[in-house]
Amino acid sequence: MLGTPRRRITRKGEAARDEKGGREALGRSRGGLTTKLHLAADRRCRPIARHTTCGQRADCTGFTQVMAAIRIPRRVGRPRTRPGHVLADKAYSSKAIRSHLRRRGIKATIPIKADQAANRREKGSRGGRPPNFDRERYKQRNTAERAFNKLKQFRAVATRYDKRDYMYQATVDIATMKIWLRDLTQDRRDTA
């Protein structure tokens, strides 16, 4: 049965976020209301797909939504939905994410967390083989950080004053369009 998530009232009288979706992607932290923006970017630091979650949620919760949102148009045929390689930081180092990528035939370069490596060593031969990690390829991961920096040049994205999640996502989409248009005009200037 489909329906809207239930809301419950907390001690302070505000509507609590539902456990799965995190209503409006706003979370509480010491600094107040926070939001996380999960992003996929291409090699030229242009955002391709995005997803928002509450600020206190783990990073790995937004991974599958971002991967599902990737749509790269081709000249002919269906859009491309699967990248050739994924570079991610330690926050995305989980067994579920690695198996998801393996099932889809996507190569991954994700460093292992120290506690995961310790658990593997503790199990001995039953711990399995550690996943491959290419240090030289991992140096290219800064493209995601640079894509975030390009988005944060837009003050409305960096501060998120929008109350509703769909308004914030629209703001991110407008900033993304400006980044893509700016990049396309740079290409034309370079070729002229």
Side-chain angles (χ1 to χ4, degrees):
M1 183 172 126
L2 296 174
T4 57
R6 292 184 183 169
R7 295 174 67 174
R8 66 178 196 275
I9 305 300
T10 61
R11 285 181 278 150
K12 295 181 181 176
E14 76 227 6
R17 314 301 176 257
D18 94 298
E19 292 302 313
K20 288 185 182 176
R23 289 181 75 80
E24 304 303 336
L26 283 171
R28 287 270 174 201
S29 71
R30 291 181 189 171
L33 295 173
T34 58
T35 299
K36 278 188 183 172
L37 181 64
H38 305 274
L39 184 74
D42 65 357
R43 288 186 181 191
R44 295 176 69 177
C45 306
R46 298 176 299 193
I48 296 173
R50 51 101 182 108
H51 179 71
T52 55
T53 58
C54 299
Q56 76 271 13
R57 292 221 176 246
D59 286 347
C60 58
T61 57
F63 182 78
T64 53
Q65 289 88 353
V66 171
M67 292 299 290
I70 294 176
R71 299 270 183 274
I72 302 169
R74 297 180 183 178
R75 292 181 195 264
V76 178
R78 296 180 308 164
R80 185 175 176 188
T81 59
R82 198 172 56 183
H85 206 97
V86 170
L87 303 170
D89 59 4
K90 287 183 179 183
Y92 295 98
S93 175
S94 74
K95 193 174 185 178
I97 288 175
R98 289 181 193 278
S99 64
H100 172 76
L101 293 173
R102 209 172 305 122
R103 272 194 315 270
R104 294 187 68 197
I106 302 170
K107 296 177 183 174
T109 302
I110 305 171
I112 302 172
K113 292 181 181 178
D115 63 334
Q116 290 174 347
N119 289 338
R120 186 182 304 276
R121 278 193 304 270
E122 191 175 292
K123 289 182 180 179
S125 62
R126 293 174 314 184
R129 186 175 64 220
N132 291 337
F133 180 71
D134 185 3
R135 288 188 186 278
E136 288 303 312
R137 186 177 286 262
Y138 189 69
K139 290 178 183 177
Q140 297 172 1
R141 199 191 70 78
N142 69 0
T143 57
E145 301 301 328
R146 293 190 346 238
F148 274 113
N149 289 339
K150 282 183 178 183
L151 279 174
K152 287 184 179 182
Q153 293 295 316
F154 299 91
R155 190 165 140 191
V157 174
T159 55
R160 189 189 169 160
Y161 290 124
D162 300 315
K163 185 175 181 180
R164 301 285 180 199
D165 185 44
Y166 68 89
M167 292 299 293
Y168 181 63
Q169 289 184 7
T171 304
V172 172
D173 287 343
I174 290 169
T176 300
M177 285 184 238
K178 286 185 175 183
I179 290 170
W180 274 85
L181 289 172
R182 193 178 303 147
D183 193 57
L184 291 175
T185 56
Q186 285 287 357
D187 285 346
R188 288 211 174 123
R189 280 189 222 144
D190 292 342
T191 58

